[in-house]
Amino acid sequence: MEGRGFGFPWTRFLLATRRALSRAADGMDAESLLLSLELASGSGQGLSPDRRASLLTSLTLVKRDYRFDRVLFWGRILGLVGDYYIAQGVSEDQLAPRKTLYSLNCMEWSLLPPATEEMETQTSVVKGRFMGDPSHEYEHTELQKVNEGEKVFEEEVVVQIKEETRLVSVIDQIDKAVAIIPRGALFKTPFGPISVNRTFEGLSLSEAKKLSSYFHFREPVELKNKTLLEKAELDPSLDFMDSLEHDIPKGSWSVQMERGNALVVLRSLLWPGLTFYHAPRTKNYGYIYVGTGEKNLDLPFML
Amino acid sequence: MQPTYEMAERQKALFSQSGGGEGEQEMEEEVAETAVPNIMEKAFYFEQAGVGLSSDESFRIFMALKQLVEQQPIHTCRFWGKILGISRSYLVAEAELREGEEEAGEEEVEMAEGGEGMEAHGEEERDDDDDDELMDAVPKPTWKPPPIIPKEESRTGTNRYLYFVCNEPGRPWMRLPHVTPIQIVQARKIRKFFTGYLDAPVISYPPFPGNEANYLRAQIARISAATHISPLGFYQFGEEEGDEEEEGGAGRDSYEENPDFEGIPVLELVDSMANWVHHTQHILPQGRCTWVNPLQKTEEEEELGEEEEKADEGVEEVEQEVGPPLLTPLSEDAEIMHMAPWTARLSCSLSPQFSVAVVRSNLWPGAYAYASGKKFENIYIGWGHKYNPENFNPSLPAPIQHEYPSGPDTIEMSDPTVEEEQALKAAQEQALAAAEEEEEDEEEDEDEDQDD
């Protein structure tokens, strides 16, 4: 580590930062996995004890092998034949793209390629459940124009799409659409890097019930469209991401208090299966996705 | 923090034991027979499958069920599951009342005003007729509302069990009303999230006859009919009573526990779906479990309506709807778009000798069942909707109706064209001219006669 060369107090600072980073948990930190699973259990799906045990063991090894700063348990995608367990590894910059790993038995993890736009267009034609077998290929017939000499005609071409590609793009879509974080957990310094806010003590009870206190954990898209009047009220060090208030369709988040106001649970109705929990006035928060990996396109009819 | 303290107070009441001095006697009674099942044991097995609420939440549900049993005359009950809603969620308990205990004061459900609106319009028209006798009678509407299919009796079919819901353990349990066939039929056509408030209206097309309590009850009925399964042999039919032939193949509707059930090995339960059977009746397209001919008139109507029968044009011969009989194995379930409707798994592949067989429904995501040895249980935790592989297509509005039937006096005739009118006019003028000439001829004849 380069820090050691600069003297004792510098090392202490680095170690303290690392500890602070590991305390904040979005996704589910492997170290606080058990507590997180219990808090998110209101949605009914969790992990069985053998999976929990194997997860704790294997995630520690993954952290060592891939040299991640933190490893988070992202969730479980239910397939017909088998389930995918997904974990994400985080490096030091919080908003940098994370590396995603998947496993079928919570023991052996394989790295997934990063998501590209091409993958997303390719997999948008695949519908239905995941099979649970990573080598499964979906077949999709397409009409493609084929040039043969001077003639141009359309031919039906069968395109094979691998399930791994679909997995990657679905995880990416879910992260971009519904991964959330409470306001104040991260802050932005004038120099640019986004770091964990060590003074974040949790949202207050009244703030926790409002959608505006939660942000999408991604590069802001709507922030620039706000009028100057709206921006005047925002704090640029804390409000640098899109809040949930302006999500379309309106009402796509279900906010509930469980355990008599001791826990606030947000569930996404657009991607059913995503549960975000936060205990107000404490530092505990996180989200997990346990579901079939399909977007709920019928949402406008259901509200 | 006030609501937190309120909730904690309510939940503290759950934990208080009833009766101080008679503690020992009551404990013996409770140990002997209790209507509340062992929720903690079932929660443990479901946890092996990765399903279920946390263990202290399960314990609170257990205490809440005990409270329910004390308040209502319940014979058996079980925890049916949890249905998630937007503002609040529902915990659902399935109960059977003691023999002879009728549910006092069943709540009447407000039916939608669809059918009644047309009748009121008809009445208005009749009033107009009385006033304007001189004018032509206004054609009466020929639309008749479809016959109402009677709901099933308590303790039979879809209304076999009584359902109680509460939002959180510690809150009072509310009883859900019985479900009517029309509610099930409409619930199949709509797809709405639950808000968490039982009296919220369900705004949809086609209009749902009832509020959220009825919609919730209809979904619970559908889920129970589709996903309540048990290992083959756990339930068996009772002794034959000779009713089978009379019912015309409608099948038996009651079952009892098999005392000789030995349990099926877990590996076999996972391998083949034929080892599981449905133990709730299938709901027919009509919305009931036993078929009822809607056109069958009761005895009173038969006396009065003989003339009407002859006049009824186009009475449809309604076919009897038949569904799969009780205790059909899961291997007979229809596939969803080439996808198996059930997924079976061992709870832990690393230790198969101590594993539990877990079956998950793909048709109703959130429905789970486990079986191990002689024990089994079903649970549902989810949003309460069926899996739809294609996008939801809401029903289109009905086609525009004809205003009136075309009869000889109300038929619309086309106006004569200009050429026809002119031809008619010309013909009339000719006839007039011819008549005038004849008159002149006659007058001339008369004049001539007079001259003579």
Side-chain angles (χ1 to χ4, degrees):
Chain A
M1 285 294 302
E2 307 122 26
R4 289 203 191 111
F6 291 96
F8 192 53
W10 189 242
T11 342
R12 262 211 306 208
F13 173 69
L14 279 178
L15 285 174
T17 326
R18 196 171 306 139
R19 252 182 266 128
L21 285 175
S22 66
R23 264 205 298 270
D26 38 327
M28 276 191 182
D29 205 345
E31 290 160 15
S32 55
L33 186 66
L34 296 177
L35 174 66
S36 315
L37 279 175
E38 169 144 343
L39 292 178
S41 62
S43 309
Q45 311 257 18
L47 291 178
S48 52
D50 56 310
R51 295 280 182 227
R52 281 204 292 261
S54 38
L55 206 63
L56 285 171
T57 323
S58 55
L59 284 185
T60 328
L61 292 176
V62 160
K63 190 165 149 177
R64 177 200 69 186
D65 291 338
Y66 288 87
R67 300 208 175 85
F68 287 135
D69 204 53
R70 268 192 303 153
V71 178
L72 310 168
F73 178 60
W74 184 90
R76 187 161 82 134
I77 292 191
L78 308 172
L80 290 177
V81 172
D83 296 341
Y84 293 109
Y85 296 87
I86 316 285
Q88 285 185 332
V90 185
S91 48
E92 293 192 7
D93 184 7
Q94 292 294 313
L95 272 192
R98 299 172 167 182
K99 295 216 171 85
T100 319
L101 302 108
Y102 80 94
S103 160
L104 292 164
N105 56 4
C106 278
M107 257 307 161
E108 286 128 19
W109 295 86
S110 331
L111 192 63
L112 284 173
T116 59
E117 278 200 23
E118 193 193 316
M119 274 189 204
E120 194 171 321
T121 42
Q122 214 186 23
T123 53
S124 57
V125 295
V126 180
K127 291 194 174 91
R129 299 279 303 270
F130 275 88
M131 283 306 289
D133 172 20
S135 55
H136 178 82
E137 295 197 340
Y138 298 97
E139 292 184 352
H140 169 70
T141 49
E142 252 183 23
L143 293 177
Q144 274 189 8
K145 291 202 174 145
V146 176
N147 284 333
E148 265 198 21
E150 293 177 348
K151 289 187 212 170
V152 175
F153 59 87
E154 294 190 355
E155 201 184 81
E156 276 196 13
V157 172
V158 176
V159 177
Q160 307 259 5
I161 303 168
K162 282 170 57 172
E163 180 145 303
E164 257 191 30
T165 323
R166 187 176 173 205
L167 191 63
V168 167
S169 84
V170 160
I171 294 174
D172 188 55
Q173 279 175 34
I174 293 178
D175 270 343
K176 285 210 175 82
V178 288
I180 57 182
I181 196 165
R183 178 176 182 266
L186 299 180
F187 77 99
K188 190 170 173 179
T189 57
F191 303 111
I194 293 162
S195 38
V196 172
N197 184 2
R198 283 159 63 193
T199 61
F200 177 61
E201 285 295 331
L203 298 173
S204 71
L205 205 56
S206 55
E207 277 179 9
K209 293 189 193 169
K210 292 193 225 158
L211 278 182
S212 53
S213 336
Y214 301 98
F215 292 144
H216 284 283
F217 191 60
R218 58 159 196 233
E219 297 290 329
V221 168
E222 287 166 28
L223 210 55
K224 359 183 217 283
N225 297 340
K226 287 197 171 191
T227 61
L228 275 181
L229 206 60
E230 287 170 356
K231 277 198 215 168
E233 294 174 359
L234 301 178
D235 183 351
S237 63
L238 291 180
D239 298 298
F240 53 93
M241 291 184 280
D242 296 324
S243 87
L244 295 189
E245 246 183 338
H246 304 290
D247 266 5
I248 294 167
K250 202 157 174 184
S252 62
W253 286 95
S254 139
V255 183
Q256 285 182 30
M257 306 298 298
E258 292 201 357
R259 297 167 189 231
N261 276 10
L263 183 67
V264 62
V265 175
L266 269 77
R267 293 198 184 98
S268 167
L269 303 178
L270 189 59
W271 290 95
L274 183 102
T275 313
F276 171 87
Y277 69 88
H278 173 52
R281 296 182 184 275
T282 66
K283 289 200 186 80
N284 290 330
Y285 65 88
Y287 68 85
I288 189 173
Y289 178 85
V290 179
T292 59
E294 287 170 300
K295 194 166 179 177
N296 181 17
L297 292 168
D298 304 329
L299 184 61
F301 291 116
M302 296 172 77
L303 288 174
Chain B
M1 296 300 275
Q2 196 58 20
T4 324
Y5 298 137
E6 275 177 33
M7 200 63 229
E9 289 277 341
R10 256 190 231 135
Q11 290 183 346
K12 182 174 163 189
L14 282 181
F15 288 93
S16 63
Q17 287 197 355
S18 53
E22 307 173 6
E24 283 192 18
Q25 265 190 10
E26 287 207 0
M27 248 197 271
E28 284 181 12
E29 267 183 33
E30 279 200 35
V31 168
E33 48 151 283
T34 166
V36 187
N38 190 351
I39 304 269
M40 297 311 292
E41 187 186 11
K42 298 180 200 261
F44 165 75
Y45 281 116
F46 275 119
E47 196 191 343
Q48 300 294 309
V51 177
L53 311 167
S54 60
S55 42
D56 45 325
E57 191 72 14
S58 302
F59 191 76
R60 273 187 223 119
I61 291 173
F62 175 56
M63 301 307 292
L65 278 179
K66 256 179 71 169
Q67 194 188 49
L68 174 68
V69 165
E70 281 164 23
Q71 285 168 356
Q72 307 264 354
I74 288 184
H75 178 56
T76 51
C77 80
R78 67 174 257 273
F79 179 56
W80 184 90
K82 178 172 178 181
I83 292 196
L84 304 170
I86 297 186
S87 313
R88 305 196 290 197
S89 305
Y90 294 111
L91 293 169
V92 182
E94 182 184 82
E96 209 172 302
L97 291 187
R98 282 199 275 266
E99 294 285 322
E101 294 276 349
E102 291 303 319
E103 302 97 35
E106 283 200 3
E107 295 138 36
E108 295 282 332
V109 173
E110 289 182 15
M111 304 283 288
E113 301 295 308
E116 296 180 15
M118 280 305 290
E119 289 178 15
H121 186 60
E123 284 179 11
E124 283 175 22
E125 290 192 285
R126 271 178 242 131
D127 287 338
D128 284 349
D129 282 345
D130 292 336
D131 291 340
D132 307 336
E133 288 176 9
L134 300 173
M135 291 176 54
D136 291 324
V138 179
K140 294 205 176 51
T142 51
W143 182 81
K144 292 195 186 73
I148 298 179
I149 301 170
K151 76 175 181 196
E152 294 184 280
E153 297 288 315
S154 314
R155 302 175 199 269
T156 60
T158 43
N159 291 323
R160 190 193 172 104
Y161 295 107
L162 210 53
Y163 290 93
F164 293 87
V165 293
C166 81
N167 290 115
E168 255 188 277
R171 289 196 191 265
W173 290 91
M174 324 262 248
R175 196 183 77 209
L176 288 180
H178 280 310
V179 67
T180 60
I182 184 74
Q183 283 168 0
I184 292 193
V185 167
Q186 299 291 62
R188 282 180 175 144
K189 295 186 191 157
I190 65 177
R191 204 172 158 91
K192 289 292 227 177
F193 277 121
F194 294 100
T195 57
Y197 296 96
L198 282 178
D199 47 3
V202 177
I203 302 170
S204 64
Y205 183 78
F208 185 76
N211 53 13
E212 183 157 309
N214 305 103
Y215 184 44
L216 181 65
R217 179 67 182 84
Q219 291 294 91
I220 290 176
R222 288 173 72 198
I223 293 173
S224 301
T227 61
H228 278 191
I229 57 180
S230 55
L232 178 73
F234 189 89
Y235 288 116
Q236 66 185 10
F237 288 123
E239 294 171 1
E240 287 196 19
E241 298 170 358
D243 286 329
E244 218 182 307
E245 292 180 10
E246 282 180 24
E247 291 182 22
R252 306 177 190 154
D253 56 356
S254 68
Y255 50 82
E256 57 179 32
E257 274 189 40
N258 181 357
D260 304 325
F261 179 60
E262 290 279 334
I264 305 183
V266 164
L267 288 172
E268 280 179 37
L269 282 174
V270 170
D271 270 336
S272 154
M273 285 287 104
N275 285 323
W276 296 84
V277 295
H278 288 279
H279 63 256
T280 33
Q281 279 179 303
H282 172 82
I283 302 185
L284 300 167
Q286 202 184 35
R288 292 173 51 110
C289 291
T290 46
W291 189 75
V292 150
N293 189 347
L295 299 174
Q296 223 177 39
K297 296 197 167 53
T298 60
E299 288 182 1
E300 293 174 8
E301 289 181 2
E302 277 179 9
E303 288 173 8
L304 299 171
E306 279 184 8
E307 293 181 8
E308 285 183 18
E309 274 188 39
K310 290 175 200 159
D312 263 340
E313 295 178 0
V315 168
E316 294 156 13
E317 284 291 327
V318 182
E319 279 187 27
Q320 184 181 15
E321 295 165 7
V322 179
L326 203 56
L327 299 191
T328 33
L330 261 54
S331 44
E332 311 273 328
D333 278 1
E335 280 189 358
I336 319 161
M337 305 257 294
H338 312 293
M339 192 170 77
W342 298 91
T343 306
R345 197 100 29 100
L346 275 181
S347 65
C348 174
S349 45
L350 297 170
S351 63
Q353 64 273 38
F354 300 120
S355 273
V356 163
V358 177
V359 173
R360 184 168 81 198
S361 169
N362 293 327
L363 189 57
W364 291 95
Y368 289 85
Y370 83 85
S372 163
K374 294 193 189 173
K375 303 185 199 145
F376 82 97
E377 182 60 53
N378 298 288
I379 201 172
Y380 179 86
I381 302 186
W383 294 95
H385 297 116
K386 202 171 182 176
Y387 174 68
N388 195 3
E390 295 141 2
N391 293 335
F392 171 68
N393 281 322
S395 325
L396 295 172
I400 304 174
Q401 297 175 359
H402 288 296
E403 281 183 40
Y404 45 80
S406 295
D409 50 342
T410 51
I411 198 167
E412 189 179 347
M413 301 206 329
S414 48
D415 287 334
T417 61
V418 177
E419 289 86 13
E420 283 178 20
E421 277 188 10
Q422 284 180 345
L424 187 64
K425 199 170 168 191
Q428 277 182 346
E429 284 175 3
Q430 271 190 4
L432 202 61
E436 281 181 5
E437 280 185 16
E438 278 186 13
E439 280 185 15
E440 287 177 7
D441 285 344
E442 283 181 8
E443 285 178 6
E444 286 178 8
D445 286 343
E446 283 181 11
D447 288 340
E448 286 179 5
D449 286 341
Q450 283 177 3
D451 285 342
D452 288 341

